[in-house]
């Protein structure tokens, strides 16, 4: 069974129940989780990536393409995530940020990175300081860095909330297009109805 | 593996203190095999109490310690209450780091030079105001009342308490509270003391206790600025420790026990005073006095703060001038002739101790950094939450008087095979370096946005690779600052080198303090300046290296 499956994922905070989800995201599909802040939307994503804070506990399983990844160390899960902030490593150049993401074993790394920058409309910025890019440019680099690591699923944690309306639509299109082209299951957390409408997939309201 | 480091760090902090305490206390009760003492007796205490200087020494320690701590705390708080967040306060922040990094001994020498009968203050007033044509025969430095020593302590403790307060302040969101107290009609100072001070004090209580314990037991500043007939108790204990007559060690140990009891007793007394202040403060809060005309208090705070900073800065300048002074007649403000003779003559002698200084400081700071980073990384990776008592463990070496456990460490070294081990001296320094390195690095380390780590993990990078490729590069500046703090603390240490090294290992600090009795201004100027330079070298690196390294990375600059 391909795709990302959350099977009875039940999260508690300091012992009290917080949230329960049961869903399957098919390859190329975008499932949206919506709800007010504080209901545990981002916490679900943290459980999937394996970065839950110690106050939280969870039961249930996360399956990726039929494999249970719940107990795998985070780097072995092959689940990409984008946050509201781009979180480009400030000490590395744009190119080095992409190289950081590019999966091991890829040949001609420099050429791959240049091509990837072309792909997102930013040719020739490989040696730039990420702090000198505009917000939209940073977001595109962050997306490409994640994609180059060859993930099997993509999580979006309010990934578009910081961008203004025009940029937001553009960025959404870019992310969804790339995810579909790679047949990635995408799980998006947002509080914005437009995001959900643009995704076109099922919406889980918390 | 990483999980073990918090425990290892606790052992490194506690074991030397506890073992040293036992090794110091035992001879106080007559157990000291080296001079044939194997049975318990209270004779050392009888000898101690019979010493004519005992009561004066004890009361001198008590008085100087209490006054210095209270004055430092009051100056710091009034300065904050009157000026925090204003334009003038930027100056306070600017002079803070250099004041902190100046070693105690160098600052004390500088102040001694400044206030001495032939110092700049008297020179500036003579002869037009004083009528003095020659330096007056007055005992200003080493005055029997200990006021010079108190001034020296305050000048170094205000910057420390200020740093600790500034680190704790953001958690109390002072600007919000001040806006409200101002809207309710309170004067700045009253609003601050009623709304912010209680929360701030709760967060700097341990540093205040450390300052109190330090002031009660200080030795190097007391040797330079304090009276010596009798000296404060801790100084006398060190004198007895170094007595060629080994049996004096027993009296010294008894004195160290009394010193320990004194510190514990005064800490308890301070706690009681805290309760009294709390009670009085609540009363004042209920009273609702607005105290809107607080200009005088604010001015006093600024004046006292400027005075305590000015003493150190002018003092260090004085050291510099003396070090290059040829003949310098009274009351000229500057030497009649400038000469490099003092540097030529005494400089080369300082190279050897300087070398020792850096070996010891480098080793102690290196170990402290590794332990600190390992602890913080273990905390991060295994999601450990440090217990509140861990802060007490960190402060323990700063609360126990140095004379109460360092001699015991030396005794244990002797038992373990004699000789003088550089390693034991490093361990002695480590006990004091580690808390400061940890306190300096823990804040920035814990504040780091852990989502960088989540991103790294999502990109398929292992924890160790993330540590070296993401965390460490992003932490370069705070790590270098912690390194600089560690080096400065180690360079400034006097007793660990003297007592554990048994007088056979010289650092620039033991050399400088040893020069105090000689009174040769020029050589003291040279040594004090070299000591200050040694303590500041790390800070220069911590300031410059990240700028060079991240020249093209705007996101890495503060």
């Amino acid at each position: 069974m391909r795709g990302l499956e959350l099977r009875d994922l039940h999260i508690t905070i300091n012992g009290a129940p917080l949230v329960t989800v049961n869903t399957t995201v098919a390859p190329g599909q975008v499932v949206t989780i919506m709800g007010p802040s504080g209901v545990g939307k981002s916490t679900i994503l943290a459980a999937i990536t394996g970065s839950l804070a110690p106050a939280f506990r969870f039961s249930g399983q996360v399956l990726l393409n039929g494999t249970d990844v719940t107990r795998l160390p985070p780097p072995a899960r092959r689940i990409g995530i984008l946050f509201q902030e781009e979180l480009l490593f400030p000490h590395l150049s744009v190119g080095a940020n992409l190289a950081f993401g590019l999966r091991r074993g890829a040949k001609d790394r420099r050429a791959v990175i240049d091509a990837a920058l072309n792909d997102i409309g930013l040719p020739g910025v490989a040696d730039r300081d990420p702090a000198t890019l505009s917000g939209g440019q940073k977001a595109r680099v962050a997306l490409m860095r994640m994609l180059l690591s060859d993930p099997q699923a993509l999580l979006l944690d309010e990934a578009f909330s910081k961008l203004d309306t025009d940029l937001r639509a553009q960025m959404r299109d870019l992310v969804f297009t790339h995810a579909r082209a790679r047949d990635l299951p995408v799980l998006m957390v947002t509080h914005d109805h437009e995001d959900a409408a643009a995704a076109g997939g099922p919406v889980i309201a918390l | 593996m990483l999980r073990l480091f918090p425990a290892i760090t606790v052992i490194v902090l506690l074991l030397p203190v506890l073992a040293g305490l036992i090794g110091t206390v035992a001879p106080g009760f007559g157990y000291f095999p080296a001079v044939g003492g194997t049975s318990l007796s209270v004779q050392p205490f009888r000898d101690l109490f019979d010493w004519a200087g005992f009561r004066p020494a004890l009361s001198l320690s008590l008085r100087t310690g209490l006054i210095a701590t209270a004055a430092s705390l009051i100056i710091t708080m009034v300065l904050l209450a009157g000026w925090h967040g204003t334009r003038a306060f930027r100056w306070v922040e600017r002079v803070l780091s250099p004041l902190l990094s100046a070693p105690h001994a160098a600052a004390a020498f500088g102040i001694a030079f400044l206030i001495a009968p032939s110092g700049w203050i008297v020179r500036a007033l003579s002869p037009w105001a004083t009528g003095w044509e020659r330096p007056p025969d007055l005992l200003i430095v080493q005055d029997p009342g200990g006021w010079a020593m108190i001034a020296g302590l305050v000048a170094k403790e205000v910057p420390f308490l200020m740093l600790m307060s500034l680190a704790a302040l953001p958690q109390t969101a002072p600007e919000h509270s001040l806006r409200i107290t101002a809207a309710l009609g309170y004067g700045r100072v009253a609003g601050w003391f009623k709304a912010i001070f209680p929360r701030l004090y709760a967060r700097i209580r341990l540093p205040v206790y450390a300052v109190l314990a330090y002031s009660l037991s200080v030795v190097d500043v007391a040797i330079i600025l304090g009276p010596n007939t009798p000296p404060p108790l801790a100084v006398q204990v060190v004198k007895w420790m170094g007595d060629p007559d080994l049996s004096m060690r027993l009296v010294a140990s008894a004195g160290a026990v009394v010193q320990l009891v004194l510190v514990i007793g005064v800490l308890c007394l301070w706690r009681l005073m805290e309760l009294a202040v709390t009670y009085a403060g609540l009363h004042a809060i209920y009273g609702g006095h607005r105290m809107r005309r607080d200009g005088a208090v604010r001015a006093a705070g600024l004046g006292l703060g400027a005075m305590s900073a000015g003493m150190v800065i002018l003092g260090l300048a004085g050291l510099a001038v003396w070090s290059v002074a040829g003949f310098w007649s009274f009351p000229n403000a500057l030497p009649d002739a400038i000469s490099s003779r003092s540097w030529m003559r005494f400089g080369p002698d300082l190279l050897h101790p300087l070398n020792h200084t850096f070996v010891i400081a480098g080793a102690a700071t290196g170990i402290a950094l590794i332990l600190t980073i390992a602890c913080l990384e273990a905390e991060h990776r295994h999601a450990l939450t440090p217990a509140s008592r861990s802060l007490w463990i960190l402060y323990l070496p700063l609360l126990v008087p140095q004379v109460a456990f360092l001699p015991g460490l030396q005794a244990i070294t002797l038992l373990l095979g004699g000789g003088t081990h550089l390693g034991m001296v490093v361990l002695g320094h480590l006990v004091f370096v580690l808390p400061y390195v940890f306190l300096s690095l823990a804040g920035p380390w814990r504040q780091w946005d852990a989502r960088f780590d989540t991103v790294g993990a999502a990109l398929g990078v292992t924890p160790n690779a993330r540590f070296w490729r993401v965390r460490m590069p992003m932490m370069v500046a705070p790590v270098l600052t912690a390194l600089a703090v560690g080096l400065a603390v180690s360079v400034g240490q006097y007793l660990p080198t003297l007592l554990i090294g048994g007088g056979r290992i010289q650092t620039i600090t033991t050399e400088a303090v040893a020069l105090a009795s000689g009174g040769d201004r020029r050589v003291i100027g040279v040594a004090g300046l070299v000591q200050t330079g040694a303590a500041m070298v790390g800070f220069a690196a911590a300031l410059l290296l990240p700028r060079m390294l991240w020249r093209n990375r705007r996101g890495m600059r503060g």
Side-chain angles (χ1 to χ4, degrees):
Chain A
M1 153 88 221
R2 294 188 49 80
L4 178 68
E5 185 184 352
L6 308 182
R7 197 178 281 171
D8 297 323
L9 192 65
H10 177 65
I11 302 177
T12 59
I13 175 165
N14 297 321
L18 177 71
V19 67
T20 307
V21 262
N22 243 319
T23 191
T24 304
V25 191
Q29 189 187 31
V30 182
V31 170
T32 305
I33 299 178
M34 288 203 63
S37 44
V39 292
K41 301 189 299 285
S42 296
T43 315
I44 296 170
L45 300 190
I48 301 172
T49 56
S51 49
L52 266 187
F56 299 99
R57 294 275 181 278
F58 75 96
S59 59
Q61 289 169 305
V62 179
L63 290 97
L64 184 58
N65 298 334
T67 318
D68 184 357
V69 299
T70 323
R71 303 291 151 197
L72 281 183
R77 297 187 184 195
R78 306 191 66 184
I79 299 175
I81 184 164
L82 293 175
F83 293 100
Q84 182 176 344
E85 281 79 28
E86 305 84 12
L87 300 171
L88 296 178
F89 301 124
H91 59 294
L92 301 177
S93 67
V94 173
N97 263 283
L98 293 184
F100 193 103
L102 183 56
R103 66 179 194 289
R104 303 278 281 187
K107 299 251 160 47
D108 288 330
R109 300 177 73 85
R110 185 72 206 217
V112 172
I113 288 161
D114 286 339
L117 284 171
N118 264 327
D119 201 9
I120 51 172
L122 292 169
V125 301
D127 294 323
R128 291 261 299 268
D129 177 359
T132 64
L133 300 184
S134 73
Q137 291 171 330
K138 284 185 206 165
R140 279 182 271 164
V141 174
L143 166 70
M144 194 39 84
R145 177 177 66 175
M146 212 31 97
L147 294 176
L148 286 177
S149 73
D150 199 15
Q152 301 299 299
L154 186 61
L155 310 179
L156 303 174
D157 190 351
E158 302 272 9
F160 312 117
S161 308
K162 214 183 72 177
L163 304 169
D164 58 40
T165 326
D166 288 351
L167 213 51
R168 194 179 174 112
Q170 273 179 34
M171 196 58 209
R172 236 172 3 218
D173 280 350
L174 189 71
V175 171
F176 294 156
T177 309
H178 277 280
R180 285 201 191 101
R182 286 172 170 75
D183 234 8
L184 295 178
V186 177
L187 186 60
M188 173 169 69
V189 154
T190 183
H191 61 260
D192 182 50
H193 289 282
E194 263 184 57
D195 284 351
V203 176
I204 302 170
L206 292 181
Chain B
M1 183 54 195
L2 208 54
R3 265 177 187 280
L4 292 177
F5 271 92
I8 294 173
T9 306
V10 167
I11 291 171
V12 166
L13 280 172
L14 292 191
L15 194 65
V17 178
L18 297 181
L21 273 177
I22 295 168
T24 310
V25 170
F29 291 94
Y31 185 82
F32 195 48
V35 292
T38 51
S39 58
L40 289 184
S41 98
V42 292
Q43 192 55 42
F45 282 95
R46 283 208 192 103
D47 295 341
L48 174 69
F49 298 149
D50 285 345
W51 170 50
F54 178 69
R55 273 162 177 279
L58 197 62
S59 76
L60 182 67
S61 294
L62 184 68
R63 219 163 50 80
T64 50
L66 273 176
I67 295 176
T69 308
S72 305
L73 184 61
I74 291 170
I75 293 175
T76 308
M77 287 306 143
V78 174
L79 201 52
L80 278 170
W83 302 93
H84 181 252
T86 66
R87 196 176 288 269
F89 201 78
R90 273 186 231 154
W91 280 99
V92 176
E93 285 164 336
R94 219 164 283 168
V95 295
L96 200 54
S97 301
L99 288 180
L100 273 167
S101 55
H104 277 92
F109 275 127
I111 292 170
F113 283 14
L114 190 65
I115 62 178
S118 64
W120 265 338
I121 293 177
V122 172
R123 282 171 190 265
L125 298 174
S126 301
W128 61 274
T130 59
W132 291 327
E133 300 289 340
R134 283 178 301 138
D137 190 14
L138 289 173
L139 198 59
I140 303 177
V141 176
Q142 303 190 327
D143 62 301
W147 292 104
M149 175 182 164
I150 290 172
L153 287 171
V154 169
K156 277 297 289 172
E157 281 162 2
V158 167
F160 175 69
L161 289 177
M162 185 60 79
L163 177 82
M164 289 310 193
S165 302
L166 289 178
L169 260 181
Q171 304 162 39
T172 68
E175 58 286 349
H176 297 307
S177 300
L178 276 190
R179 216 172 296 150
I180 293 191
T181 55
L184 294 173
Y186 283 88
R188 223 195 111 95
V189 174
W192 178 281
F193 272 97
K194 290 180 178 184
I196 296 164
F197 174 72
R199 285 177 287 156
L200 176 61
Y201 186 80
R203 286 180 170 82
I204 60 161
R205 177 175 282 143
L206 275 172
V208 170
Y209 290 176
V211 163
L212 183 56
Y214 176 83
S215 307
L216 287 164
S217 339
V218 63
V219 171
D220 51 358
V221 175
I223 289 177
I224 296 164
L225 287 173
N228 46 26
T229 49
L233 184 61
V235 175
Q236 187 61 39
V237 169
V238 172
K239 275 188 188 163
W240 282 329
M241 287 284 173
D243 201 298
D245 177 2
L246 278 185
S247 65
M248 291 311 285
R249 295 284 180 94
L250 301 182
V251 187
S253 285
V257 173
V258 172
Q259 181 70 42
L260 179 65
V261 173
L262 173 74
V263 168
I264 295 172
V266 173
L267 283 173
C268 293
L269 176 73
W270 190 270
R271 181 81 193 104
L272 287 178
M273 284 166 30
E274 282 176 9
L275 294 176
V277 170
T278 307
Y279 183 79
L282 270 178
H283 195 76
I285 288 168
Y286 266 87
H289 293 293
R290 262 46 175 180
M291 291 181 266
R292 248 166 278 177
R293 269 183 284 180
D294 54 10
V297 182
R298 294 182 68 193
L302 197 61
L304 287 169
M307 223 169 87
S308 89
M311 278 197 305
V312 177
I313 292 165
L314 277 178
L316 292 178
L319 289 181
V321 173
W322 270 110
S323 78
V324 294
F327 185 70
W328 190 353
S329 52
F330 191 85
N332 296 350
L334 287 172
D336 309 5
I338 296 289
S339 118
S340 59
R341 225 187 57 205
S342 307
W343 284 92
M344 295 307 202
R345 235 176 91 201
F346 308 113
D349 295 344
L350 294 176
L351 288 179
H352 189 64
L354 198 59
N355 190 21
H356 264 152
T357 305
F358 282 124
V359 168
I360 295 168
T365 309
I367 298 170
L369 259 182
I370 291 170
L371 289 174
T372 300
I373 292 176
C375 280
L376 291 170
E377 187 63 10
E379 194 181 297
H380 168 68
R381 286 197 202 173
H382 303 295
L384 311 173
T385 26
S388 57
R389 66 173 178 279
S390 62
L391 206 55
W392 278 93
I393 294 172
L394 213 48
Y395 270 94
L396 188 80
L398 310 180
L399 294 176
V400 177
Q402 294 194 349
V403 293
F405 74 96
L406 292 174
L409 274 189
Q410 191 213 2
I412 290 168
T413 318
L414 293 175
L415 280 178
L416 290 177
T420 307
H421 293 289
L422 196 63
M424 282 302 272
V425 176
V426 169
L427 184 68
H429 278 240
L430 178 60
V431 169
F432 301 105
V433 168
L434 185 53
Y436 288 105
V437 168
F438 198 102
L439 291 171
S440 158
L441 192 54
W445 199 277
R446 287 171 179 155
Q447 276 159 24
W448 184 70
D449 189 341
R451 289 178 309 172
F452 280 113
D453 205 47
T454 308
V455 167
L459 292 170
V461 177
T462 61
N464 283 338
R466 283 182 337 245
F467 173 77
W468 290 111
R469 291 172 60 197
V470 179
R471 183 97 226 241
M472 280 306 273
M474 289 183 74
M475 287 283 133
V476 160
V479 165
L480 284 175
T481 303
L483 187 83
V485 169
L487 289 178
V489 169
S490 174
V491 167
Q493 292 299 320
Y494 172 62
L495 279 189
T497 321
L498 181 79
L499 291 179
I500 303 177
R504 268 161 306 204
I505 292 177
Q506 268 86 36
T507 63
I508 185 69
T509 298
T510 58
E511 281 296 284
V513 177
L515 291 171
S517 55
D520 180 338
R521 299 247 156 106
R522 288 169 181 83
V523 58
I524 290 174
V526 171
L529 223 53
V530 171
Q531 196 206 11
T532 308
M536 286 188 176
V537 109
F539 286 99
L543 212 63
L544 292 177
L545 274 181
R547 280 193 195 175
M548 283 160 59
L549 206 53
W550 306 127
R551 196 168 65 246
N552 297 321
R553 295 285 175 266
R554 225 170 53 198
M556 292 300 296
R557 274 174 252 151

